[in-house]
Amino acid sequence: MSKKTPVAVYPGSFDPLHLGHVDIVRRALTIFPNVVVAVLENTDKLPLFSPAQRVELIRDTFAGMSGVEATSFSGLLVDFMRQRQARIILRGMRAVSDFEYEFQIALMNRRLWVEAEHVFLTPNEEYTYLSSRVIREVWRLGGDVTGLVPEPVNRALKRLPR
Ligand code: PNS
């Protein structure tokens, strides 16, 4: 495998995908020709959407945009990366509060696989307060998340029983 891979993997829970995530993918596409959005098949007991639904919503959101692929993975991220012959791990960094957690997982991933390289991008400032957790909470309490999530996600949320 060439060490210069044009594929960046953007891993996360994406439950749900919000406009901050979309902004990160758009920015990444100005650097990397291919971005794989990789949904962790975690065991969260109260997810809004199943991993398969999240992948579908990501596909719908980026439909027509070339260079974006959505898939899911389980187990260690670095194993998925090796499988995909990709070594760039893309993550968003919204504020200093994200730093400690991101630094910890970056160092752990590098320990697990020395070729793993993290690239951090900052979203537009209008999205710095967005997180999937906050979106879930606002939605569960009856709030309107229009303008905070992509349209396919907003439509899916409107169909979901609260
Ligand atoms: O959106 P999130 O929940 O902050 O994403 C976290 C994610 C998916 C990037 C991280 O939990 C992950 O990579 N999990 C896979 C398991 C793994 O590889 N763990 C070791 C590094 S912490």
Side-chain angles (χ1 to χ4, degrees), residues 11-14 40 73 75-78 91 101 105 108-109 112:
S13 305
F14 304 110
L40 175 66
F73 74 102
L76 284 177
L77 173 62
V78 292
R91 293 283 288 172
Y101 172 65
I105 65 170
M108 178 53 80
N109 284 329
L112 293 169

Side-chain angles (χ1 to χ4, degrees), residues 1 37 40 61 65 68 85-86 95 99 114 126 140 161:
M1 181 189 78
V37 184
L40 175 66
T61 299
M65 195 180 294
V68 185
Q85 303 204 324
F99 179 78
V114 72
E126 68 182 293
R140 279 192 172 124

Side-chain angles (χ1 to χ4, degrees), residues 93 98-108 120:
M93 183 89 78
D98 281 342
F99 179 78
E100 204 171 326
Y101 172 65
E102 294 300 333
F103 193 57
Q104 190 180 23
I105 65 170
L107 291 180
M108 178 53 80
F120 298 100

Side-chain angles (χ1 to χ4, degrees), residues 59-130:
R59 285 187 186 143
D60 289 350
T61 299
F62 294 104
M65 195 180 294
S66 66
V68 185
E69 179 193 330
T71 188
S72 63
F73 74 102
S74 57
L76 284 177
L77 173 62
V78 292
D79 290 340
F80 171 74
M81 305 282 304
R82 274 191 278 235
Q83 226 177 62
R84 294 299 307 253
Q85 303 204 324
R87 54 185 286 270
I88 305 296
I89 300 171
L90 178 69
R91 293 283 288 172
M93 183 89 78
R94 288 163 299 193
V96 175
S97 50
D98 281 342
F99 179 78
E100 204 171 326
Y101 172 65
E102 294 300 333
F103 193 57
Q104 190 180 23
I105 65 170
L107 291 180
M108 178 53 80
N109 284 329
R110 189 185 284 160
R111 186 191 160 89
L112 293 169
W113 186 37
V114 72
E115 287 183 32
E117 208 60 80
H118 283 248
V119 171
F120 298 100
L121 296 180
T122 48
N124 191 306
E125 62 195 31
E126 68 182 293
Y127 302 128
T128 47
Y129 68 101
L130 279 188

